[in-house]
Amino acid sequence: MPSRSDPKRLGSAEIKIHPRLRMIRNGSSEVNTLRAEHAACLRVRGEAEGAVPPLLRGACATPLPAPETLPRPLKKHKLKKVPSDVEVNLFVTLSDDAAVWSGRTSGDFRAGTGTLRTATRRLDDLASLVGSAEVQYVEPGETLQAPTPAIASGSPVAPDPAVRRFGDAAQHHEGEGVLIGIIDVQGFDFAHADFLDGEDTRWVRIWDQGGNARPSPAARNGGRGFDYGAEFRKEDLNEALRASPSLGVPPQEIERQSQMIAASHGTHVASIAAGNRGICRKAMLAGVLVALTDEDLDRRRSFYDSTRIAEAIEYLLALSLELGRVPISINISLGTNGHAHDASSAISRWIDSALTQRGRAIAVAAGNAGQESALYDGDVGFVMGRVHASGRIPAAGLTRDLGWQVVGNGIADLSENEMEIWHPAQDRLSVSLRPPGGDWLGPVQPGQYIENHQLPDGSYVSIYNEVYHHANGENYIALYLSPLLSADGVVGISSGEWMVRLEGEEIHDGSFHAWIERDDPRRLGPVGEKEAWRFPSFFSEGSYVDDSTVSSLACGQRVLSVANLDEASSRINPTSSQGPTRDGRAKPDVAAPGTDIVAARGFEPDQEWVAMTGTSMASPFVCGVAGLMLAVAPDLTAAQIHGIMRRTATPLPGHDYRWQNDAGFGRLNPDACLREARALQEREDVTP
């Protein structure tokens, strides 16, 4: 009998399911209840919602259990019964006759484009979905990374109205007739002075995906639209503004969103793109609030993954049609780091499909993973930057080792750490893994996997080695380090350097790229003698490669991928993520001001303005300029906007017009963009 650590061969049904989803399905309700706090695609329903292990109550005095006392159910390799109280958000890829099939079973899906659909299913119901001949592939939504802007202290003065005013206002009307859509977190302060037009708010719609203060979009639209969350309409918000003085209650409390964080990220981003001191000052504003909170229990009960981004985009596009097919420019200052960074992920394909129609643009923050070394004593920002490695294995029989660093110094890492390795279809690589001070696991050959293998300390390892991935035809290796999560005991990932060994089995090209999925650093409390954190793992010195750190969400073909320009020093901020994509494309596209940007400070009436730094601030600048371009030329395509911005960008000092991996094609030139858009529109107007 082979041991549990012996690799198994992938079966035909398993090839249709993403490895992470297979691993989740093989976890107990207890494990997935805890996993749901940092696995964005999971939500716990029913009785499991109330099962709050001590770890989640702020502190945990549970000692680390000895191996012989590990909870017995967690020693099993397979569950006898797949949990029914855990739901998962999915992207489902259908076959060519998807239109016919989805019409027959429309209740199975919430949204779709081409052969892609979004759906929510119970873990115990996946078999029926995968068993359908019309389903080609099922994958979980990717975790959205919380934005990490640097927030300046103090109370800055209001930004100069002239700072974000470009071109001839009489021609672009400051974005009038355009819809600016903001997909973000922490709430939208619709009552802030930067969004008021007289006594009315300029927000025409807010969809709070995690809220319940208002009916869902479907409930407010005769059953059409999404059947979750709360939809606030302009008339609701204006009524709150009028009622506020007599009730003695702030209008934001009358129409209360599920997130209303002081100095909210979403408010700041919207202010840059379309506030009264922003770029599109007369545009209509609409927001989608993704349910990403700081509270563990809220995270457990909510979804905050890339399927929610897809549905947010569909909601905003439908709203632009409802408003009279107005042009729309959307900003996304959230990111993902999973998948191949080549625009083949489900969410990238979804966005690129949406951008095939005229009058649409989407700007995405490149990410804040550009820093590879400490900038000053005590600086640990490099942890967020050492997320990429690459190299080449010259011939069969040769190996390459990658160091994977998990935190130590008294910290217990209770997050699930993930590494993805992508390499060309023509090669075959085996993979082995060695824990700190432990023995090698593997090698896992192409087409094999090790799933939920329990190490002597109680934590788990899963390794998958797949060939011909359905999305891009390339080969894909996934490694997961999973803590033991149990009410009876908690074991973090062993701290120190884990070693990943790649060995050439058959080499034609030999190149590979690897990324570590980033966690949000979050303190959980004490576990025994250690401090429990969810903390990002990172590549060790000598393994990481300082490029290709752009968020996978910002690698799409037609999205406007934006770097953070520090205008004061005429250079790219060191934290701004770098390109190119895995397939060698030029991302980011352009750089825009993103350092010490003053804009609206949400939900703090005594402090109206705040300065923040990050690609989150640079992206809405580009979104706003795209909105002005659409006001001048409403029929522009996303590809044309993309091309105009690249062509007119200004090189930074010391550089020429060639693409740079940190700055893209250079500093965005709004005035030149508007001139080109106007000239293109005039040429099309006279074309017979």
Side-chain angles (χ1 to χ4, degrees):
M1 291 283 295
S3 69
R4 284 182 314 170
S5 61
D6 288 337
K8 300 180 182 299
R9 179 66 57 177
L10 288 169
S12 58
E14 291 170 317
I15 292 173
K16 294 176 68 173
I17 306 177
H18 189 278
R20 182 173 179 81
L21 189 54
R22 297 202 302 269
M23 183 180 67
I24 289 171
R25 190 176 57 173
N26 197 20
S28 67
S29 294
E30 184 179 67
V31 168
N32 280 323
T33 296
L34 288 163
R35 179 182 270 148
E37 292 162 19
H38 56 91
C41 61
L42 292 183
R43 180 174 67 184
V44 180
R45 304 297 296 268
E47 294 181 2
E49 288 186 67
V52 185
L55 174 65
L56 303 182
R57 297 179 186 148
C60 178
T62 305
L64 302 178
E68 62 270 16
T69 64
L70 293 176
R72 292 192 62 182
L74 298 178
K75 291 185 176 181
K76 296 180 181 178
H77 178 64
K78 289 283 188 183
L79 294 175
K80 292 182 179 179
K81 183 179 180 181
V82 177
S84 61
D85 49 10
V86 178
E87 294 179 327
V88 60
N89 263 359
L90 304 169
F91 282 108
V92 181
T93 303
L94 301 177
S95 58
D96 289 338
D97 59 344
V100 176
W101 187 66
S102 63
R104 250 186 355 253
T105 59
S106 58
D108 288 341
F109 306 110
R110 284 193 306 274
T113 181
T115 59
L116 275 174
R117 300 291 184 273
T118 59
T120 300
R121 285 291 185 104
R122 297 194 320 267
L123 287 180
D124 66 339
D125 194 33
L126 285 177
S128 64
L129 183 66
V130 176
S132 171
E134 291 87 352
V135 171
Q136 289 187 344
Y137 196 72
V138 181
E139 57 194 296
E142 298 173 38
T143 296
L144 298 178
Q145 301 297 327
T148 56
I151 302 177
S153 59
S155 300
V157 299
D160 186 336
V163 168
R164 300 179 188 124
R165 180 168 278 144
F166 305 107
D168 186 347
Q171 293 192 12
H172 59 61
H173 307 291
E174 297 185 308
E176 187 174 4
V178 170
L179 178 64
I180 298 294
I182 307 294
I183 303 172
D184 220 293
V185 296
Q186 300 185 348
F188 302 112
D189 189 349
F190 65 89
H192 193 285
D194 205 36
F195 304 120
L196 296 181
D197 180 11
E199 297 182 352
D200 294 341
T201 184
R202 289 175 45 225
W203 290 87
V204 297
R205 208 70 60 88
I206 296 173
W207 177 26
D208 180 359
Q209 291 185 337
N212 58 14
R214 282 278 177 181
S216 69
R220 303 197 68 168
N221 196 32
R224 296 185 302 277
F226 297 102
D227 60 357
Y228 66 92
E231 184 182 58
F232 302 90
R233 298 191 171 188
K234 187 180 181 79
E235 54 267 29
D236 305 325
L237 306 179
N238 283 337
E239 182 59 32
L241 288 168
R242 287 160 179 62
S244 174
S246 60
L247 295 176
V249 177
Q252 304 94 325
E253 292 291 341
I254 299 173
E255 294 291 349
R256 186 172 180 81
Q257 299 161 55
S258 61
Q259 302 168 55
M260 297 195 299
I261 308 299
S264 83
H265 189 269
T267 299
H268 194 269
V269 165
S271 174
I272 295 167
N276 294 335
R277 293 173 183 260
I279 297 175
C280 280
R281 305 179 183 196
K282 293 185 179 179
M284 295 172 283
L285 262 166
V288 179
L289 185 57
V290 178
L292 177 57
T293 74
D294 291 329
E295 297 296 325
D296 290 331
L297 293 181
D298 289 342
R299 285 188 176 217
R300 180 193 302 183
R301 296 168 180 160
S302 64
F303 291 121
Y304 50 100
D305 61 279
S306 54
T307 67
R308 291 312 206 213
I309 294 289
E311 290 165 8
I313 291 170
E314 293 305 303
Y315 172 84
L316 293 169
L317 295 179
L319 178 58
S320 74
L321 296 177
E322 179 186 328
L323 295 172
R325 202 176 288 274
V326 298
I328 180 171
S329 180
I330 297 173
N331 184 77
I332 306 174
S333 286
L334 304 170
T336 59
N337 204 44
H339 217 271
H341 292 70
D342 62 0
S344 67
S345 69
I347 184 59
S348 289
R349 287 182 284 134
W350 192 295
I351 293 174
D352 282 336
S353 176
L355 292 177
T356 58
Q357 295 191 32
R358 293 179 177 272
R360 297 174 174 179
I362 297 180
V364 180
N368 301 318
Q371 184 180 341
E372 76 279 1
S373 59
L375 300 178
Y376 51 85
D377 289 343
D379 178 26
V380 293
F382 66 88
V383 167
M384 302 303 288
R386 294 184 183 177
V387 295
H388 172 247
S390 62
R392 186 177 297 276
I393 298 173
L398 300 183
T399 63
R400 171 72 183 269
D401 287 353
L402 300 175
W404 188 2
Q405 193 71 40
V406 175
V407 296
N409 298 325
I411 292 178
D413 185 2
L414 299 186
S415 57
E416 193 161 57
N417 293 273
E418 175 186 356
M419 182 188 298
E420 295 188 5
I421 302 168
W422 295 82
H423 62 99
Q426 57 266 41
D427 293 334
R428 293 292 181 267
L429 304 180
S430 63
V431 58
S432 303
L433 177 69
R434 187 181 69 190
D439 298 324
W440 286 99
L441 288 172
V444 179
Q445 298 291 335
Q448 294 183 338
Y449 70 96
I450 295 174
E451 189 169 88
N452 289 335
H453 170 67
Q454 194 167 28
L455 298 175
D457 68 357
S459 63
Y460 292 88
V461 165
S462 297
I463 305 172
Y464 304 88
N465 192 347
E466 297 191 349
V467 297
Y468 304 127
H469 191 275
H470 92 104
N472 57 12
E474 302 282 64
N475 298 331
Y476 167 61
I477 297 171
L479 303 100
Y480 298 93
L481 312 179
S482 304
L484 186 157
L485 301 173
S486 165
D488 298 323
V490 175
V491 176
I493 309 301
S494 294
S495 62
E497 187 176 45
W498 295 65
M499 296 304 298
V500 176
R501 174 164 294 170
L502 301 175
E503 181 172 357
E505 302 293 334
E506 181 180 347
I507 298 297
H508 293 252
D509 178 273
S511 63
F512 67 88
H513 285 265
W515 285 273
I516 294 173
E517 182 63 77
R518 290 164 292 191
D519 303 313
D520 305 330
R522 297 171 62 218
R523 181 182 181 274
L524 297 173
V527 176
E529 297 179 354
K530 292 189 175 184
E531 188 74 14
W533 280 73
R534 296 207 175 89
F535 202 83
S537 57
F538 52 95
F539 283 111
S540 303
E541 189 85 34
S543 290
Y544 76 89
V545 176
D546 184 30
D547 62 11
S548 299
T549 55
V550 168
S551 158
S552 58
L553 193 65
C555 288
Q557 297 278 354
R558 291 292 173 244
V559 300
L560 300 165
S561 179
V562 188
N564 174 4
L565 171 66
D566 182 348
E567 278 199 303
S569 60
S570 294
R571 65 182 180 92
I572 299 301
N573 190 290
T575 64
S576 188
S577 292
Q578 302 170 17
T581 63
R582 188 187 67 87
D583 53 337
R585 286 179 297 107
K587 296 288 179 178
D589 295 298
V590 293
T595 302
D596 292 326
I597 303 301
V598 178
R601 185 183 189 110
F603 306 110
E604 286 193 297
D606 296 333
Q607 300 183 61
E608 286 194 294
W609 308 99
V610 64
M612 296 188 187
T613 295
T615 56
S616 286
M617 288 62 251
S619 183
F621 191 101
V622 172
C623 169
V625 171
L628 294 183
M629 294 169 69
L630 288 168
V632 169
D635 288 333
L636 285 176
T637 66
Q640 289 173 317
I641 294 172
H642 188 259
I644 289 171
M645 286 188 174
R646 284 180 162 206
R647 180 187 184 278
T648 59
T650 305
L652 298 183
H655 295 292
D656 56 24
Y657 285 94
R658 288 176 294 182
W659 178 84
Q660 306 293 323
N661 72 346
D662 59 348
F665 286 94
R667 182 199 314 255
L668 182 74
N669 187 333
D671 292 318
C673 286
L674 290 168
R675 286 195 298 270
E676 286 288 297
R678 189 176 302 115
L680 182 59
Q681 182 69 37
E682 290 171 352
R683 287 197 296 273
E684 292 187 354
D685 286 344
V686 299
T687 301

